[in-house]
Amino acid sequence: TPAADALSPDQMPNMGGCSTLSVGETTYLALDLPSGTYGAACFFPDMGDGMPHLMKGMSTIFTVA
């Protein structure tokens, strides 16, 4: 159950994303983000157990000055 003060999905607009990559590949995503705090998360499933990478810690919060 989300915390009472948690953000709802409508408060988190999608600012960009990328498609699936092959193992060992890298991609760069060029975005023009206004100043603020953002989160990045990977929703791709793990090949071993199917769990989204987000649930294994593949996420971060960052600030654009």
Side-chain angles (χ1 to χ4, degrees):
T1 302
D5 61 347
L7 295 173
S8 65
D10 62 324
Q11 293 173 297
M12 298 180 279
N14 183 347
M15 302 300 283
C18 65
S19 61
T20 304
L21 299 173
S22 297
V23 174
E25 293 294 313
T26 301
T27 190
Y28 295 91
L29 185 62
L31 299 172
D32 185 13
L33 299 173
S35 297
T37 301
Y38 296 89
C42 179
F43 295 99
F44 294 123
D46 183 84
M47 289 175 34
D49 61 15
M51 184 180 293
H53 291 159
L54 169 66
M55 301 303 290
K56 295 182 175 208
M58 195 170 182
S59 64
T60 191
I61 296 174
F62 62 97
T63 301
V64 175

